């Protein structure tokens, strides 16, 4: 069974541009989580989607947004990129809204120049 | 909200030794505590988890202990091997309709 997949693996953007990151959860999972892993800061929770709705949001500005599609895949959009947005963006999925166990994908490395 | 502190930030051991990583949490409502291993260039991999209704859980060379009164939990790795070298993260959450709060990670280096 395939795990969580993310694309692209690497993404290079310049300051002020927009970035779109994509995630496909484990088959049968309805919940998708996004985390930012900046150097030395651990994993910071960004967004949680389940059944197409945003369920929770971390302490990030509104230029971080996303959505979940009917097939439960998800995309994360980052507008007006800043240098500090350079990080590894991780997607995780869980079976449903009540299941705590999260499984992570390999991440997308975003570099803002 | 929940706050998780993890110690030590780095840990070096010799192959065959034991390694212990400790985490404390702040929210007494938290009742699910997973541990993840992250190898270089990869996403975090769930290695073991524990819920508040048990005090200890083992899986081969890995064990996790939980002290709810003191609000801390620990990861124990016995007979360490070089392939155990990685960054380990602890996390905590109140169960159901919540998100994980992670510690800042421990870099474990196992020398042959």
């Amino acid at each position: 069974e395939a795990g969580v997949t993310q694309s692209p693996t690497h993404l290079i953007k310049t300051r002020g541009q927009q970035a779109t990151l994509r995630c496909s959860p484990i088959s049968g999972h309805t919940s998708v989580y996004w985390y930012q892993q900046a150097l030395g800061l651990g994993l910071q929770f960004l967004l949680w989607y389940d059944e197409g709705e945003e369920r929770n949001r971390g302490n990030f500005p509104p230029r971080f947004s996303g959505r979940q599609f009917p097939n439960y895949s998800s995309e994360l959009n980052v507008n007006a990129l800043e240098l500090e947005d350079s990080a590894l963006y991780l997607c995780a999925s869980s079976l449903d809204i009540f299941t705590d166990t999260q499984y992570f994908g390999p991440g997308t490395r975003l570099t803002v120049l | 909200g929940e706050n998780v502190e993890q110690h030590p930030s780095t840990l070096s051991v010799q192959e065959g030794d034991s390694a212990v990583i400790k985490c404390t949490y702040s929210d007494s409502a938290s009742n699910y505590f997973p541990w993840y291993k992250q190898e270089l260039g990869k996403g975090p991999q769930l290695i073991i988890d524990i819920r508040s209704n048990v005090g200890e859980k083992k899986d081969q060379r890995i064990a996790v202990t939980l002290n709810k009164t003191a609000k801390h939990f620990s990861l124990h790795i016995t007979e360490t091997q070089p392939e155990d070298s990685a960054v380990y993260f602890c996390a905590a959450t109140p169960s159901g309709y919540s998100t994980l709060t992670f510690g800042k990670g421990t870099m474990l280096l196992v020398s042959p």
Side-chain angles (χ1 to χ4, degrees), chain A residues 21-23 32 34 49 67-69 72-76:
Chain A
L21 290 65
R22 296 180 175 83
C23 170
V32 171
W34 287 96
Y49 292 95
R67 54 179 172 167
Q68 186 178 33
F69 299 99
Y72 304 114
S73 68
S74 175
E75 68 178 27
L76 174 69

Side-chain angles (χ1 to χ4, degrees), chain A residues 22-93:
Chain A
R22 296 180 175 83
C23 170
S24 291
I26 293 172
S27 178
H29 285 196
T30 66
S31 274
V32 171
Y33 308 79
W34 287 96
Y35 293 87
Q36 182 193 67
Q37 187 176 28
L39 197 62
L41 292 179
L43 286 82
Q44 304 292 317
F45 167 69
L46 266 167
L47 290 159
W48 173 20
Y49 292 95
D50 185 85
E51 296 286 359
E53 294 187 14
E54 182 179 300
R55 299 293 179 173
N56 202 354
R57 181 182 183 85
N59 189 25
F60 281 84
R63 57 190 186 83
F64 287 84
S65 65
R67 54 179 172 167
Q68 186 178 33
F69 299 99
N71 66 353
Y72 304 114
S73 68
S74 175
E75 68 178 27
L76 174 69
N77 295 293
V78 188
N79 294 321
L81 284 166
E82 300 178 1
L83 297 178
E84 309 83 77
D85 298 333
S86 295
L88 181 68
Y89 289 84
L90 292 160
C91 173
S93 74

Side-chain angles (χ1 to χ4, degrees), chain B residues 61-97:
Chain B
R61 297 185 297 109
I62 293 173
V64 57
T65 58
L66 171 65
N67 184 327
K68 284 216 74 178
T69 302
K71 288 193 276 187
H72 68 70
F73 56 112
S74 300
L75 177 71
H76 304 255
I77 305 174
T78 59
E79 300 173 20
T80 54
Q81 301 167 4
E83 50 266 37
D84 293 330
S85 296
V87 179
Y88 291 80
F89 291 96
C90 64
T93 185
S95 190
Y97 206 75

Side-chain angles (χ1 to χ4, degrees), chain A residues 33 35 37 40-45 48 54-56 88 90 97-107, chain B residues 31-32 36 38 41-46 49 51 89 93-105:
Chain A
Y33 308 79
Y35 293 87
Q37 187 176 28
L41 292 179
L43 286 82
Q44 304 292 317
F45 167 69
W48 173 20
E54 182 179 300
R55 299 293 179 173
N56 202 354
L88 181 68
L90 292 160
I97 196 171
F98 302 109
T99 303
D100 305 312
T101 308
Q102 297 182 23
Y103 300 93
F104 282 83
Chain B
N31 57 9
Y32 175 64
Y36 289 86
Q38 187 174 25
K42 297 184 178 181
Q45 175 192 5
L46 178 69
D49 56 12
R51 297 191 182 273
F89 291 96
T93 185
S95 190
Y97 206 75
S98 190
T99 53
L100 294 172
T101 300
F102 285 84
K104 292 193 182 302

